[in-house]
């Protein structure tokens, strides 16, 4: 633990004054594997870290990213939403993505269950394949929905990079999940016996 209120009274007072959802601006000071440090415009310096603000990798973007440097660079100005006071590290946990519209919600509002979409296989997992159906939007085709005949392994039916036509089977706005089926695309089933 960084030290209590008595060791860093100015920092404690500042962090305690912040409210969830409040917008804070600052400058990215360091990019680490686990997230990004931000020196906030208002408020004191941190006794140890390169900034009082911290953004974890998932809070950087609505899209799935490989590294924080895909989204921000050192020296960049950012406006973030305050999530919580991390009393262990004496830092303000921030979200960059909370200040941006969620592309999933906009996409979910423009499609319907039963709709056909063209996409590209982006990742194979033991239980199915992820398919990108729009910029930053991926859905899961479960193993049982991958082929017209049962498949044991996703690689028996598709490969990363394959273009596929899928049908939307479920839209979960709350969990930001899209369930897709390749098996239910009727025109591709012609010539296949069910």
């Amino acid at each position: 633990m960084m030290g209590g209120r008595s060791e860093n009274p100015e920092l404690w007072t500042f962090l305690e004054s912040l409210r969830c959802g409040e917008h804070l601006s600052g400058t990215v000071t360091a990019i680490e594997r686990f997230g990004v440090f931000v020196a906030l415009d208002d408020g004191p310096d941190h006794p140890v870290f390169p900034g009082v603000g911290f953004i974890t990798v998932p809070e950087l973007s609505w899209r799935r990213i490989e590294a924080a440097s895909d989204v921000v660079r050192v020296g960049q100005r950012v406006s973030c939403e305050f999530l919580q006071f991390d009393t262990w590290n004496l830092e303000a946990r921030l979200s960059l993505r909370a200040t941006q519209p969620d592309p999933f919600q906009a996409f979910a509002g423009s499609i319907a269950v039963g709709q056909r979409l063209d996409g590209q296989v982006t990742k194979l997992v033991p239980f199915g394949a992820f398919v990108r159906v729009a910029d930053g939007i991926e859905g899961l085709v479960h193993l049982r929905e991958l082929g017209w005949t049962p498949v044991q392994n996703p690689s028996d039916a598709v490969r990363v990079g394959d273009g596929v036509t899928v049908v939307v089977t479920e839209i979960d706005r709350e969990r930001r999940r899209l369930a897709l089926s390749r098996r239910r695309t009727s025109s591709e089933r012609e010539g296949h016996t069910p």
Side-chain angles (χ1 to χ4, degrees):
M1 194 165 163
M2 284 294 153
R5 185 186 306 265
S6 58
E7 290 174 49
N8 299 288
E10 191 188 358
L11 186 53
W12 266 90
T13 304
F14 170 72
L15 290 168
E16 281 185 323
S17 75
L18 300 174
R19 295 288 161 257
C20 189
E22 188 177 333
H23 281 243
L24 303 169
S25 55
T27 305
V28 174
T29 52
I31 296 175
E32 302 291 346
R33 190 178 44 77
F34 47 88
V36 173
F37 287 100
V38 177
L40 297 172
D41 294 346
D42 306 319
D45 290 334
H46 196 281
V48 179
F49 301 140
V52 167
F54 186 76
I55 311 169
T56 60
V57 173
E59 289 298 335
L60 282 169
S61 175
W62 289 108
R63 303 180 195 300
R64 191 167 40 179
I65 57 170
E66 298 303 314
S69 56
D70 294 345
V71 182
V72 293
R73 63 187 188 288
V74 171
Q76 181 178 334
R77 300 276 305 143
V78 290
S79 178
C80 300
E81 192 172 290
F82 176 71
L83 300 178
Q84 68 182 66
F85 172 8
D86 177 343
T87 55
W88 183 262
N89 289 312
L90 283 190
E91 64 191 14
R93 284 294 174 98
L94 307 171
S95 174
L96 185 60
R97 77 176 189 176
T99 63
Q100 301 156 355
D102 179 353
F104 185 87
Q105 300 306 336
F107 179 78
S110 71
I111 59 162
V113 168
Q115 186 171 337
R116 293 168 60 114
L117 301 170
D118 290 321
Q120 185 178 30
V121 177
T122 56
K123 186 178 181 183
L124 300 182
V125 289
F127 48 87
F130 283 96
V131 174
R132 182 174 52 244
V133 290
D135 186 28
I137 309 290
E138 291 185 2
L140 175 68
V141 181
H142 196 276
L143 200 54
R144 68 178 174 272
E145 297 292 337
L146 262 180
W148 298 271
T149 55
V151 292
Q152 300 300 309
N153 197 319
S155 60
D156 296 342
V158 292
R159 287 188 168 71
V160 170
D162 283 358
V164 292
T165 300
V166 291
V167 170
V168 178
T169 57
E170 186 188 352
I171 304 164
D172 184 340
R173 283 173 168 256
E174 208 168 291
R175 289 158 68 200
R176 301 180 76 252
R177 288 193 180 155
L178 192 61
L180 306 169
S181 171
R182 196 163 158 247
R183 191 171 57 83
R184 299 182 204 187
T185 55
S186 56
S187 67
E188 288 184 52
R189 202 172 25 213
E190 290 163 16
H192 294 273
T193 48

